[in-house]
Amino acid sequence: MTFSCRHCASPVSLTLVDLGHAPPSNAYINAEAANSAELTFPLRVGVCENCWLVQTEDFTERERLFAADYAYFSSTSTSWLAHARRYCETAIERFGLSAESYVIEIGSNDGYLLQYMKQAGVPCLGVEPTASTAAAARAADIEVVEAFFGVQLARKLVEHRRADLVLANNVYAHVPDIIDFTQGLAHLLTPEGVISLEFPHLLNLIRDCQFDTIYHEHYSYLSLLAVDRIFKACGLRLFDVERLPTHGGSLRVWGCLEGATHIQTEAVRAGLAEERAAGLDRAEGYAQFQSQTDSRKNAFLRFLLKAHNEGRRVAGYGAAAKGNTLLNYAGVKPDLMPFVCDAAPSKQGKLLPGSHIPIRPPEALDQNPPDYLVIFPWNIADEIERQLTHLKRYGTQFITSDIAEN
């Protein structure tokens, strides 16, 4: 594997993991198209040994991955809504946001976050490329520009007004041209404006073998080391970083223009030092990930085969990208997992990409309670288990994909 780094253009030849071929993880299939040919692409991740950006080898364009009927709606998760509300309350208080301020969210999805800015009386704008989620935001009376973001769009937006806060939560990893995107963020800012980005932390991905968070929609797997370099290359600097429990361990970074007066906190220096100590600036820090991934995948498959041989019923919950990565890499089909339930109406009645496992509404679990329910979005497993706790009276056991290793 050799390709050019999307940040520094250096040759990338160090492989983090090769997950074979897979379809785009959110390309859910209509039942009538189940017998049609399905596009799959190599799912390989490399490590740039110059700037230490971990990234996919690109085989498909963003327009295919984030199509008009993109099925992920952020408001489906109550815990995610609570996280968004807390974020808005914190940002408003910390930076004194008011009716005189202006907030732009890149990747605003269905308005899950900006609704709280709007309720607080802070003027705001969403930027969202997918038509289905943008329409949901507009239905909530949130102004949305339906487009992919970069420098070109930023230049148009600042003709109206520059932003005091630009946020892009769980978007940065989804960006194919990370330099154009970051330069666009910088272009939007007032002189003392701030940028806020949340993204899953590469350190946790490596430590906890979170290989199921790898899919084509995630172009980059971000460390503080890599983001610090990218910001500097675009006239920005990090001045604070927070650790979050979301998505199995995330970072929230705060940035500003190089000449702004925001003082850098000790948390930035400590975070960079921790990553160096963990080997994220050395090839050996990435050397064991493939073997760990294969061990976890094989253990999950052994569990399914054992349950099948014993006549136990296994169902899944959460038609999430995490589950699709795992199911496709393990080669799981409906014989081992007859159905997966999901609360999102946009997914119900369709089939999971690759595995072609049917997606049913949660009520299907009451009609046919399984012996085991595999929760694929393990980052919100507690929330899901609370919602479905009544299944325990049927003997259903709630598990996650690493059950066989526990």
Side-chain angles (χ1 to χ4, degrees):
M1 176 179 70
T2 301
F3 57 94
S4 295
C5 174
R6 64 170 45 92
H7 168 221
C8 68
S10 298
V12 176
S13 57
L14 177 63
T15 300
L16 174 68
V17 70
D18 186 341
L19 298 175
H21 280 66
S25 62
N26 283 300
Y28 299 95
I29 300 169
N30 292 320
E32 57 271 20
N35 295 322
S36 301
E38 187 175 9
L39 285 175
T40 65
F41 305 93
L43 186 51
R44 296 197 291 261
V45 179
V47 183
C48 176
E49 295 177 82
N50 180 52
C51 69
W52 301 107
L53 179 62
V54 177
Q55 57 205 281
T56 55
E57 185 176 3
D58 295 343
F59 289 95
T60 184
E61 65 280 1
R62 65 184 181 181
E63 287 78 9
R64 183 184 296 276
L65 298 178
F66 302 103
D69 59 349
Y70 187 66
Y72 179 75
F73 287 74
S74 297
S75 294
T76 302
S77 169
T78 57
S79 63
W80 196 242
L81 288 173
H83 174 76
R85 181 188 292 110
R86 288 192 300 270
Y87 170 88
C88 291
E89 292 169 350
T90 298
I92 288 169
E93 180 178 1
R94 180 174 183 180
F95 300 105
L97 301 177
S98 68
E100 305 303 315
S101 307
Y102 191 51
V103 173
I104 297 177
E105 181 182 16
I106 313 301
S108 54
N109 200 265
D110 58 5
Y112 76 103
L113 185 146
L114 288 183
Q115 63 178 322
Y116 301 116
M117 286 292 181
K118 191 175 180 67
Q119 290 170 15
V122 180
C124 55
L125 172 73
V127 176
E128 173 56 51
T130 59
S132 54
T133 53
R138 291 193 189 98
D141 198 29
I142 294 168
E143 185 181 358
V144 180
V145 173
E146 193 174 314
F148 286 103
F149 180 75
V151 171
Q152 185 175 2
L153 179 59
R155 287 174 176 155
K156 293 181 180 178
L157 295 178
V158 298
E159 291 176 1
H160 167 65
R161 188 175 180 182
R162 294 188 183 272
D164 301 287
L165 170 63
V166 180
L167 65 128
N169 293 347
N170 294 289
V171 172
Y172 210 35
H174 294 75
V175 176
D177 190 339
I178 201 164
I179 292 297
D180 179 65
F181 185 91
T182 308
Q183 289 174 339
L185 296 178
H187 199 74
L188 290 177
L189 290 178
T190 62
E192 289 294 324
V194 296
I195 293 168
S196 169
L197 305 177
E198 292 180 16
F199 48 82
H201 192 188
L202 175 66
L203 185 61
N204 292 84
L205 186 152
I206 299 293
R207 284 178 172 173
D208 299 333
C209 193
Q210 297 171 352
F211 76 92
D212 54 356
T213 63
I214 294 172
Y215 31 94
H216 298 102
E217 290 92 331
H218 280 177
Y219 290 89
S220 301
Y221 303 84
L222 297 156
S223 63
L224 195 62
L225 286 163
V227 172
D228 183 52
R229 286 183 179 230
I230 294 167
F231 268 39
K232 287 177 179 175
C234 297
L236 297 166
R237 62 179 178 85
L238 297 176
F239 68 87
D240 198 9
V241 61
E242 303 171 50
R243 299 174 189 273
L244 305 173
T246 54
H247 296 292
S250 296
L251 294 181
R252 176 187 290 156
V253 300
W254 296 95
C256 59
L257 295 171
E258 185 63 45
T261 60
H262 299 282
I263 298 172
Q264 187 181 81
T265 68
E266 177 58 33
V268 176
R269 291 183 285 272
L272 293 170
E274 180 186 29
E275 291 186 352
R276 292 189 183 99
L280 295 191
D281 60 350
R282 301 185 300 279
E284 51 266 33
Y286 304 91
Q288 301 302 315
F289 192 75
Q290 180 77 60
S291 62
Q292 292 169 351
T293 292
D294 290 342
S295 294
R296 179 163 292 195
K297 176 261 295 184
N298 291 338
F300 177 66
L301 189 55
R302 284 195 299 270
F303 161 75
L304 291 179
L305 289 168
K306 183 174 185 291
H308 179 75
N309 291 336
E310 293 175 351
R312 303 293 186 93
R313 299 185 305 276
V314 181
Y317 193 91
K322 292 181 179 66
N324 291 331
T325 293
L326 172 61
L327 292 168
N328 284 315
Y329 189 44
V332 176
K333 301 294 182 183
D335 61 325
L336 295 181
M337 184 168 289
F339 65 94
V340 168
C341 290
D342 198 282
S346 59
K347 299 179 182 179
Q348 294 166 8
K350 297 182 178 180
L351 306 177
L352 294 180
S355 66
H356 290 201
I357 295 173
I359 306 170
R360 298 179 181 173
E363 292 75 22
L365 296 169
D366 296 307
Q367 299 163 7
N368 187 20
D371 297 297
Y372 299 104
L373 185 64
V374 181
I375 300 175
F376 289 115
W378 43 259
N379 52 303
I380 55 171
D382 291 343
E383 173 189 338
I384 292 170
E385 187 168 346
R386 286 194 300 271
Q387 293 171 347
L388 301 174
T389 190
H390 66 280
L391 292 176
K392 292 181 179 179
R393 67 172 177 259
Y394 302 115
T396 298
Q397 296 183 50
F398 296 87
I399 62 176
T400 52
S401 58
D402 61 352
I403 180 64
E405 294 187 341
N406 293 338

